[in-house]
């Protein structure tokens, strides 16, 4: 799992720490290992997927930085059969709309985003979903 993270996601996470937007997603047929790749097994650090490794990476960088302020927001969505769902919503089956604006670029209208300040905070957000 660590090798997959380093070769695919670490560069994207580093770019977000420099102020760029970044997206990591898994695409493929049912049963091909997308969930395993993204989530892994939380109880075994060597088997953590891209999502928990990203959390560790982001907050380790923030803790190691003394002259930059960061604001971390967490959202969690699913795109399935061309439908977008907010997995942090009280009604996750509701369909969401993809929008575009000159100021903020592409976004999902009404997508929940929670400010998080630590790895436990962000894990808690995902566990609630």
């Amino acid at each position: 799992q660590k090798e997959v993270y380093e070769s695919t996601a670490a560069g994207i996470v580093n770019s977000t720490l420099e102020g760029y937007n970044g997206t990591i997603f898994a695409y493929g047929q049912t049963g091909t290992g997308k969930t395993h790749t993204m989530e892994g097994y939380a109880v075994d650090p060597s088997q953590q997927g891209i999502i928990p490794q990203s959390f560790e990476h982001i907050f380790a960088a923030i803790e190691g930085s003394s002259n930059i302020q960061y604001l971390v927001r967490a959202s969690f969505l699913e795109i399935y059969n061309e439908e977008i769902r907010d997995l942090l919503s009280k009604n996750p089956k509701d369909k969401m709309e993809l929008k575009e604006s000159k100021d903020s670029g592409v976004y999902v209208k009404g997508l929940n985003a929670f400010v998080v300040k630590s790895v436990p905070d962000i894990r808690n957000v995902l566990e609630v979903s």
Side-chain angles (χ1 to χ4, degrees):
Q1 289 283 42
K2 188 69 171 171
E3 185 178 323
V4 170
Y5 179 77
E6 292 297 329
S7 66
T8 61
I12 295 168
V13 172
N14 283 330
S15 292
T16 64
L17 292 165
E18 294 172 4
Y20 296 96
N21 290 328
T23 301
I24 301 168
F25 67 94
Y27 175 82
Q29 295 178 325
T30 299
T32 57
K34 298 177 299 294
T35 301
H36 174 72
T37 299
M38 296 303 283
E39 296 178 7
Y41 299 110
V43 294
D44 182 355
S46 71
Q47 291 299 309
Q48 288 183 344
I50 289 172
I51 294 170
Q53 288 184 70
S54 296
F55 299 164
E56 299 287 342
H57 185 164
I58 290 165
F59 287 103
I62 290 170
E63 288 175 19
S65 173
S66 59
N67 59 345
I68 300 174
Q69 262 190 311
Y70 291 91
L71 173 63
V72 181
R73 292 188 190 121
S75 57
F76 196 37
L77 64 86
E78 172 186 65
I79 303 171
Y80 183 75
N81 286 335
E82 298 183 23
E83 293 179 355
I84 302 168
R85 292 192 167 85
D86 182 350
L87 299 178
L88 299 178
S89 170
K90 292 180 180 177
N91 301 307
K93 296 203 185 264
D94 289 351
K95 297 174 191 170
M96 308 295 289
E97 292 182 64
L98 192 63
K99 298 286 188 177
E100 185 172 9
S101 113
K102 289 181 183 179
D103 296 330
S104 59
V106 177
Y107 66 98
V108 177
K109 183 179 178 182
L111 183 68
N112 284 301
F114 296 91
V115 173
V116 291
K117 297 182 180 184
S118 66
V119 172
D121 275 2
I122 200 166
R123 284 190 180 146
N124 186 51
V125 168
L126 288 183
E127 286 173 13
V128 168
S129 67

